[in-house]
Amino acid sequence: MKIINMKTNRITNPLGFDLGKPRLSFVVCETSATKQIAAQVQVALDEEFMNRVFDSGRSEDVDSLAFEVPIKLQPYTRYYWRVTVWADNGDEATSDIAWFETAKLGEPWNAEWITPDLEKDVHPVLCREIDIYKEIVSARVYVCGLGLYEMEINGEKAGVEYLTPYFNAYDKWLQYQTYDISELLRTGKNTVEFTLGNGLYKGRFGFRGGEIEIYGDKFVLLCEIVIKHADGTITVINSDETWKARKSPIFFSGIYDGEIYDATFIHEDYYEVKKIDLGYDRLKARLSLPVVVKEVLKPIKVIITPAGETVLDMGQNMVGWVQFKTNAPKETEIVLQYAELLQEGNFYQDNLRTAKAEFRYNSNGDEVIVRPHFTYYGFRYVKVSGWSGEVNPEDFTGCVLYSDMDQLGSIETSNPLVNRLFLNALWGQKGNFLDVPTDCPQRDERMGWTGDAQVFSGTACFNMDTYAFFSKYGYDLAQEQAVFEGMVPMVVPVATIKGGGSSAWGEAATVIPWNVYLHYGDKAILEQQFESMKGWVDYIKRSDEASGNKRLWTIGFHFGDWLALDGDDPSFPTGGTEIAFISSAYYFYSSMLVAKAARVLGKEDIARQYEELSNEVRDAIREEYFTSTGRLALNTQTALVVALFMDLVPEKHRKRVAQDLRERLKKDKNHLKTGFVGTPYLCRVLSENGNNDLAYTLLLNNDYPSWLYAVTMGATTIWERWNSVLPDGKISGTDMNSLNHYAYGSIVEWMYRNVAGINPVEEKPGFRQVRLAPKPDYRLKHVKATLNSAAGLYESQWEINDEGQLKFKFVIPFNTTATVELPDAKLENVMMSGQPLVDAEVRSCEFENRVHVDLYSGKWEFFYTPEVEYIKRCSTQMALVELLGNKEAKKVLEDTVPQATALSKEMLEKVGHQSLRELSKMPFLRIPSEVLDELDLKLKNIKNNKVTVSV
């Protein structure tokens, strides 16, 4: 028995974070036990646990998902903690020691904000020397530098973080960081230096090319260095007017445009610094996770383009930068330029719009390893200019930069294209979860669009531990939202875009905290965000009342089903679904989530109030948009999907609406037309409403529009548009065309929930209980998903053998339970771990062609022949294009009904999605029924094993 994943506020050993009431979590593994019967948490001021400040004793109330430690935290203090767990089989284990350390808490700042007495665009180094003549026990730095800063002690970088103090609403709050510099200081003279860059604080940032000096026009620093000595004394060094400034060799820095670094620049003149009054009221201990180099990549090849350019291919669209080793002669300027794709084999940056995305380095002749300091890039290709001699890929390293989150989930299938799609979504998250969930990481935007974050949040929580990441973003959102009386901005931080209030975008206030609670089981996220959640719904309600109190949301600006393919206005692509329906649906959905959150928090009166509101909205939607027979007035994919997903459809009409969705897709040739609103729910709704086959068809389509189209075009991240790159390799446009835009990667949540079947349960969140309900399809032979959840490691895998039999394997972690749903099964036919399920000592039952089994922690296997044939056979009921895509079936058609194989490509594009039996009634393809019956006899032995459909 072992205890792992020990975290405080879901952060491993947090230093200097704003922890509020610290909540401890851990995972138990490597035991045959099934349940925790008791646990003990101890917290002390020393690693020997002699000076304990808390001891729960052996208790049945210690929750491994989030145990709140009831102690009053002291400033500048490191707390050590450990946990002992007792299990139902007699196992007992004590964890290793973890820790958390507080920052200043409420202690006043003695340091002063200082700014260099230099021209405001000159990048400074602020510095001072420290003489230390006593033995050092420990040393900490508490610091905020604006726009961005890096700290060096005696020439060595302090910490492994980059782009501090990160990106947030600087006009509302300022984060300060804490560094442990005990190992960097030495007895005698020490030099402390802070290099400052622009960032979005004072550099160019914002929509449509951005603005400068959004939050401030001067470089500033606030710093306190606290040194504890062996004799018990303390030395404190504060930033003040005794510090000095000099000019940095960084001549320019910008998030969009890159950096210019002149290593030949030696400026030994020092300048005064001045006090500047920024106040202390906005200062807050950090919430942002560290942004670190999480992994490194080497170039896969060096390309000499037709234009004669030297270009590194990193093999992966990534975010960060390339560092390089050089000993180029003095005054050699090396230029790296970054791009996402090539055009006609040549380097191409036009889709970055006004962003230069470059790094310029002027060599001083020394052999050095070079990197930028105050910028980052989104790229796959790097154009190298000015290099001395032949470019050796070993001299270059791609540094992948994102917030320090643990990867939790993985999915692998029998289809390599699907596996690459999963990785593309994961890489999209890596690239865009850099302190703020940005829309894109490469062009002159990189903003925290709330709609993108909302639609992807479910997938994000499956892929990585995003609790602390979204907690910081939610805090920032609430700060911005408060200024607008509950309206949620389009982007957070707001920066240059002051508008907001759009449905789906504003739902970042409700959907994200609810998803985070559901995945990690810690209600502190709901406590933190509850007023924000409620404020958003109250804003919608006021809009409703202003338009006549109809319990519909019919006024205001909305993005609609953004970038959907069924709209009429390509210049502003809000899609073809009525915007008032979308906004009203979210009115209902957010009201319901507020009610649920209130109930979790014990706010029963508020829960009833918002539950009543949500029911009123749903009733109004049904009256406005549904006929008495259940027909939805809006016949778009997104309208039908939203109605089903958000439970807007009267229960007695669900089957009718699900069938209408099937018919709508058939008219759309079984290809998606959804945008930001419909896409996240599309396949989930299909799988959960009797159309699982269509969900897989949409997944496996490889022509435009589809997820796999981009994969077949070589994409290594998710694109902003379904056709960001055309089949001929040309980019489809440059105005708004990112090749790393994660929103459509939300398909991965369906892969976790429905393909692999791993579903959290609201009543026992944090995966304390799960619903394991995989929905296999013959076009994938096997699937395996793993999830290192807050409660432990889950595995779900299935395979379909050549005889069409199903085999499932599940791993359920310690102290959790699961209800397994086996599809198309008869109880008496199911084997569990080698014995008949009916003889096993587990609770099971048969319900609507499914077998339900209640399980506890352990490894489980099931095997049976399903009641329906999973290996599909060819027939005249299949789409003609599918029949023609199967070589054996096509040969039968050529021999029997050659006119069906002679249709032109144009005709196939129009009617190929219909079955041969449907088309047989058309004037251009008359086929007698007896011939169709004969065809079915010939086709029935041919397996329909084609996994992608294209015309």
Side-chain angles (χ1 to χ4, degrees):
M1 186 168 166
K2 190 175 180 181
I3 300 173
I4 60 172
N5 294 355
M6 299 175 68
K7 296 183 178 183
T8 305
N9 294 20
R10 297 213 61 80
I11 307 168
T12 302
N13 297 338
L15 173 63
F17 279 77
D18 181 354
L19 297 173
K21 299 175 182 178
R23 300 171 317 283
L24 311 180
S25 60
F26 56 91
V27 168
V28 175
C29 61
E30 297 183 20
T31 177
S32 60
T34 60
K35 291 183 179 179
Q36 173 182 305
I37 60 171
Q40 178 182 24
V41 172
Q42 295 177 321
V43 183
L45 299 177
D46 61 303
E47 293 183 85
E48 292 74 31
F49 284 79
M50 301 300 293
N51 189 2
R52 296 181 193 174
V53 295
F54 175 77
D55 191 333
S56 69
R58 178 173 169 142
S59 171
E60 296 178 4
D61 299 326
V62 174
D63 184 355
S64 65
L65 295 178
F67 178 74
E68 188 175 299
V69 183
I71 59 175
K72 181 175 175 57
L73 297 178
Q74 299 301 312
Y76 313 120
T77 303
R78 177 167 292 194
Y79 295 89
Y80 300 90
W81 65 279
R82 64 187 178 191
V83 60
T84 300
V85 173
W86 291 270
D88 56 355
N89 69 345
D91 278 1
E92 176 184 344
T94 298
S95 70
D96 292 335
I97 297 169
W99 55 264
F100 57 91
E101 184 175 320
T102 59
K104 292 174 65 66
L105 295 181
E107 291 293 293
W109 285 86
N110 295 310
E112 296 173 330
W113 289 101
I114 57 175
T115 186
D117 190 10
L118 292 165
E119 296 85 353
K120 66 179 182 179
D121 291 330
V122 173
H123 285 53
V125 178
L126 302 184
C127 55
R128 69 158 292 169
E129 289 191 347
I130 305 173
D131 294 331
I132 302 174
Y133 297 109
K134 296 181 181 180
E135 182 182 347
I136 300 168
V137 174
S138 67
R140 300 289 186 270
V141 178
Y142 307 94
V143 58
C144 180
L146 299 170
L148 305 174
Y149 72 89
E150 284 193 10
M151 174 175 51
E152 288 188 355
I153 307 290
N154 298 319
E156 185 173 343
K157 184 182 182 321
V160 295
E161 303 182 52
Y162 300 92
L163 304 176
T164 50
Y166 304 121
F167 310 124
N168 57 268
Y170 297 116
D171 54 335
K172 312 294 191 305
W173 62 298
L174 299 172
Q175 298 186 76
Y176 68 91
Q177 288 73 44
T178 302
Y179 294 86
D180 181 350
I181 59 168
S182 306
E183 300 300 318
L184 296 179
L185 289 176
R186 58 194 179 216
T187 304
K189 288 191 177 295
N190 294 267
T191 301
V192 179
E193 297 182 333
F194 289 90
T195 305
L196 297 173
N198 284 318
L200 65 87
Y201 179 79
K202 65 184 292 288
R204 182 164 77 99
F205 187 78
F207 198 54
R208 300 192 185 281
E211 302 171 11
I212 63 169
E213 299 178 353
I214 299 170
Y215 297 103
D217 62 354
K218 293 180 174 62
F219 292 108
V220 291
L221 174 72
L222 181 74
C223 169
E224 288 185 2
I225 302 172
V226 179
I227 306 167
K228 296 182 179 179
H229 301 289
D231 63 3
T233 59
I234 295 177
T235 299
V236 179
I237 309 295
N238 294 316
S239 54
D240 56 27
E241 289 178 296
T242 66
W243 286 55
K244 298 296 181 183
R246 70 172 188 271
K247 295 180 179 180
S248 165
I250 298 174
F251 281 15
F252 170 84
S253 71
I255 296 297
Y256 298 154
D257 295 320
E259 191 168 301
I260 299 173
Y261 191 101
D262 188 351
T264 68
F265 178 76
I266 300 174
H267 201 297
E268 297 181 347
D269 293 337
Y270 283 86
Y271 301 83
E272 299 300 313
V273 301
K274 300 181 294 186
K275 290 192 295 184
I276 183 171
D277 185 15
L278 293 189
Y280 304 101
D281 56 318
R282 285 181 290 163
L283 282 164
K284 181 182 180 65
R286 68 181 304 162
L287 292 176
S288 287
L289 288 169
V291 170
V292 297
V293 175
K294 290 287 289 183
E295 49 197 295
V296 296
L297 301 176
K298 300 299 288 186
I300 61 170
K301 60 183 172 181
V302 177
I303 301 169
I304 305 300
T305 72
E309 306 151 317
T310 301
V311 176
L312 304 175
D313 180 358
M314 303 306 297
Q316 170 65 53
N317 197 348
M318 56 169 282
V319 172
W321 53 66
V322 166
Q323 73 176 25
F324 57 88
K325 182 173 67 174
T326 180
N327 59 356
K330 189 174 181 178
E331 300 291 353
T332 300
E333 185 184 47
I334 297 170
V335 181
L336 302 188
Q337 294 171 283
Y338 293 81
E340 291 190 293
L341 76 166
L342 304 178
Q343 290 288 274
E344 297 180 340
N346 294 316
F347 187 76
Y348 180 86
Q349 283 188 315
D350 287 1
N351 70 312
L352 308 189
R353 301 190 302 213
T354 67
K356 291 182 180 178
E358 65 181 21
F359 178 66
R360 293 180 174 271
Y361 175 75
N362 192 25
S363 175
N364 62 2
D366 294 340
E367 181 169 293
V368 288
I369 294 176
V370 180
R371 65 163 174 89
H373 298 75
F374 301 122
T375 192
Y376 68 92
Y377 311 92
F379 65 99
R380 173 172 174 171
Y381 299 98
V382 185
K383 178 182 170 183
V384 182
S385 305
W387 194 262
S388 299
E390 184 178 351
V391 171
N392 182 353
E394 288 303 309
D395 290 332
F396 299 85
T397 300
C399 299
V400 182
L401 202 70
Y402 55 98
S403 291
D404 192 9
M405 299 169 291
D406 296 332
Q407 184 176 337
L408 302 180
S410 67
I411 297 175
E412 184 178 348
T413 78
S414 58
N415 187 319
L417 297 180
V418 174
N419 297 342
R420 183 65 245 186
L421 174 64
F422 169 78
L423 291 176
N424 288 3
L426 182 65
W427 274 97
Q429 183 172 353
K430 291 176 181 180
N432 283 292
F433 275 42
L434 196 155
D435 192 50
V436 171
T438 54
D439 60 327
C440 60
Q442 74 297 87
R443 69 184 180 215
D444 55 356
E445 196 164 343
R446 314 188 196 187
M447 303 178 76
W449 286 91
T450 46
D452 303 58
Q454 183 265 122
V455 300
F456 189 73
S457 59
T459 293
C461 290
F462 272 110
N463 280 342
M464 297 182 184
D465 189 341
T466 57
Y467 186 98
F469 179 87
F470 276 135
S471 179
K472 178 265 180 180
Y473 185 65
Y475 180 87
D476 217 13
L477 184 151
Q479 300 303 304
E480 299 279 38
Q481 181 189 8
V483 177
F484 301 109
E485 298 181 337
M487 183 192 80
V488 176
M490 298 176 189
V491 298
V492 174
V494 165
T496 62
I497 299 183
K498 308 301 180 184
S502 170
S503 61
W505 273 245
E507 265 59 42
T510 53
V511 172
I512 293 176
W514 183 254
N515 275 337
V516 171
Y517 165 71
L518 194 61
H519 277 258
Y520 308 109
D522 187 348
K523 65 181 181 182
I525 188 68
L526 299 182
E527 292 170 344
Q528 174 185 299
Q529 297 300 129
F530 185 73
E531 289 303 317
S532 167
M533 298 174 75
K534 182 173 169 293
W536 170 239
V537 173
D538 290 345
Y539 168 80
I540 302 172
K541 188 181 177 188
R542 289 195 301 273
S543 299
D544 165 20
E545 291 166 349
S547 62
N549 204 28
K550 297 177 291 188
R551 288 297 179 259
L552 296 172
W553 191 8
T554 59
I555 64 173
F557 168 81
H558 299 276
F559 285 103
D561 190 22
W562 187 246
L563 295 185
L565 300 175
D566 55 3
D568 299 323
D569 184 2
S571 65
F572 199 76
T574 53
T577 304
E578 183 181 313
I579 287 177
F581 173 78
I582 293 172
S583 55
S584 298
Y586 274 112
Y587 184 7
F588 160 76
Y589 193 52
S590 278
S591 302
M592 179 188 65
L593 291 180
V594 170
K596 287 183 176 183
R599 189 151 284 127
V600 170
L601 299 175
K603 302 176 185 289
E604 285 297 328
D605 289 345
I606 296 177
R608 284 191 293 272
Q609 176 187 345
Y610 284 85
E611 189 171 58
E612 181 180 345
L613 174 62
S614 66
N615 288 336
E616 290 173 358
V617 175
R618 179 164 54 188
D619 289 344
I621 291 172
R622 288 175 174 176
E623 184 176 354
E624 178 74 13
Y625 291 102
F626 285 91
T627 68
S628 60
T629 58
R631 181 175 64 85
L632 179 61
L634 309 174
N635 190 27
T636 66
Q637 291 180 23
T638 289
L640 293 161
V641 165
V642 166
L644 287 164
F645 180 82
M646 294 186 184
D647 197 25
L648 300 174
V649 182
E651 187 59 36
K652 63 181 179 180
H653 297 313
R654 285 193 71 87
K655 288 185 179 179
R656 188 253 166 91
V657 175
Q659 181 60 32
D660 288 348
L661 175 58
R662 190 176 189 92
E663 292 300 316
R664 175 69 265 172
L665 279 163
K666 189 174 183 179
K667 290 177 182 176
D668 295 330
K669 303 178 184 178
N670 287 341
H671 281 69
L672 55 81
K673 288 196 171 183
T674 51
F676 272 40
V677 170
T679 299
Y681 311 133
L682 176 57
C683 285
R684 289 179 62 185
V685 162
L686 289 169
S687 288
E688 291 165 12
N689 289 276
N691 293 314
N692 191 54
D693 59 329
L694 279 182
Y696 276 87
T697 294
L698 294 179
L699 171 73
L700 295 169
N701 286 340
N702 69 351
D703 55 340
Y704 167 78
S706 69
W707 284 280
L708 293 188
Y709 168 70
V711 176
T712 63
M713 292 297 295
T716 60
T717 43
I718 301 295
W719 292 348
E720 182 173 12
R721 295 175 176 270
W722 294 112
N723 65 338
S724 285
V725 179
L726 302 175
D728 61 3
K730 299 289 182 62
I731 193 163
S732 60
T734 59
D735 179 56
M736 193 175 67
N737 203 349
S738 156
L739 302 191
N740 192 352
H741 229 83
Y742 56 72
Y744 290 148
S746 53
I747 182 64
V748 168
E749 184 172 11
W750 168 76
M751 294 167 70
Y752 281 112
R753 284 178 172 269
N754 298 102
V755 176
I758 304 174
N759 291 275
V761 174
E762 287 186 7
E763 292 73 21
K764 293 186 177 180
F767 294 90
R768 181 70 75 215
Q769 182 176 352
V770 300
R771 173 176 162 257
L772 290 172
K775 296 185 181 297
D777 184 277
Y778 69 102
R779 287 164 287 184
L780 294 182
K781 293 183 178 180
H782 62 81
V783 168
K784 178 180 180 181
T786 64
L787 180 67
N788 277 293
S789 76
L793 175 63
Y794 283 92
E795 292 185 11
S796 175
Q797 54 182 312
W798 55 260
E799 62 180 85
I800 302 174
N801 67 19
D802 291 340
E803 286 71 45
Q805 295 167 307
L806 294 175
K807 183 176 184 180
F808 296 91
K809 292 183 179 180
F810 302 108
V811 174
I812 303 170
F814 174 78
N815 207 34
T816 65
T817 58
T819 297
V820 170
E821 296 181 14
L822 302 174
D824 303 307
K826 285 284 186 184
L827 186 61
E828 62 267 24
N829 295 336
V830 178
M831 300 293 290
M832 185 182 81
S833 300
Q835 65 171 324
L837 176 58
V838 292
D839 297 334
E841 295 181 358
V842 294
R843 190 169 67 178
S844 59
C845 66
E846 190 176 316
F847 179 72
E848 292 184 350
N849 296 322
R850 297 191 303 271
V851 168
H852 291 224
V853 189
D854 291 336
L855 299 176
Y856 46 85
S857 61
K859 297 181 179 180
W860 308 88
E861 294 188 9
F862 298 90
F863 180 80
Y864 61 95
T865 300
E867 294 303 297
V868 298
E869 189 171 12
Y870 268 64
I871 297 177
K872 302 300 181 184
R873 309 285 174 172
C874 292
S875 77
T876 57
Q877 300 290 352
M878 286 173 51
L880 176 59
V881 69
E882 286 193 65
L883 283 176
L884 295 177
N886 184 300
K887 291 182 179 179
E888 292 181 72
K890 184 177 181 180
K891 181 66 168 62
V892 171
L893 296 186
E894 287 173 343
D895 293 342
T896 309
V897 284
Q899 65 270 35
T901 65
L903 294 177
S904 67
K905 182 178 180 181
E906 291 74 17
M907 183 63 73
L908 276 177
E909 288 178 344
K910 289 181 180 180
V911 303
H913 61 286
Q914 298 184 58
S915 72
L916 193 57
R917 283 200 177 259
E918 291 171 315
L919 293 173
S920 68
K921 300 178 176 61
M922 299 295 180
F924 58 84
L925 193 64
R926 293 287 187 186
I927 304 175
S929 58
E930 57 269 23
V931 175
L932 292 171
D933 293 340
E934 180 187 347
L935 262 176
D936 276 331
L937 289 173
K938 295 179 178 179
L939 292 170
K940 71 176 183 179
N941 292 322
I942 301 174
K943 292 181 181 179
N944 178 28
N945 54 9
K946 183 174 173 57
V947 297
T948 55
V949 179
S950 61
V951 175

